[in-house]
Amino acid sequence: MFTEAHYQAVLKFFYFMLLDESLALAAALDTVKRIQTLLKKAPTLKMELLLIDTMQTVLVRYRKRQRHLVLTTPAKSEFKISNLDHLVRWKEFMKKSDDQINETLVLRYILDYTPELIAEGLGVPVGTVFYRIRHGLDTISVTGNVLR
């Protein structure tokens, strides 16, 4: 069953990955529709795995859309990064790191998913998840840690 907590997790994921509230909201709504359709077809799917897979699919579409837009809407989300310095460092990190590492860090530290669940959801070995986490944290340590 898809709950409000699941919706908030999806919205947080897209907020931190896209850094734009209006795009995050649109991506979250798109994800919810896709998940609801999938759950009707296969109601026994594990929700967290379904979330990771669907968010990953939707993220690719919105990344492409984001490249073509010049957005001026400021983020006003309740879970936005409150410290402006941290937001600047997070954006710097996002530019230096690849999407797989960014996505893994958001799933781990923003959504609090276990490395094992992330590995299963992304279809990679758990060692790969640990590598991405370590590499991402090493990169963040250069720009300043904004996840903890």
Side-chain angles (χ1 to χ4, degrees), residues 129-147:
V129 171
F130 283 117
Y131 168 79
R132 290 177 184 173
I133 290 170
R134 180 79 268 140
H135 184 73
L137 292 178
D138 288 346
T139 304
I140 285 177
S141 69
V142 173
T143 59
N145 194 339
V146 296
L147 292 176

Side-chain angles (χ1 to χ4, degrees), residues 17 28 46 78 97 117 130-131:
M17 291 302 294
K46 188 172 180 182
E78 67 211 43
S97 186
L117 181 62
F130 283 117
Y131 168 79

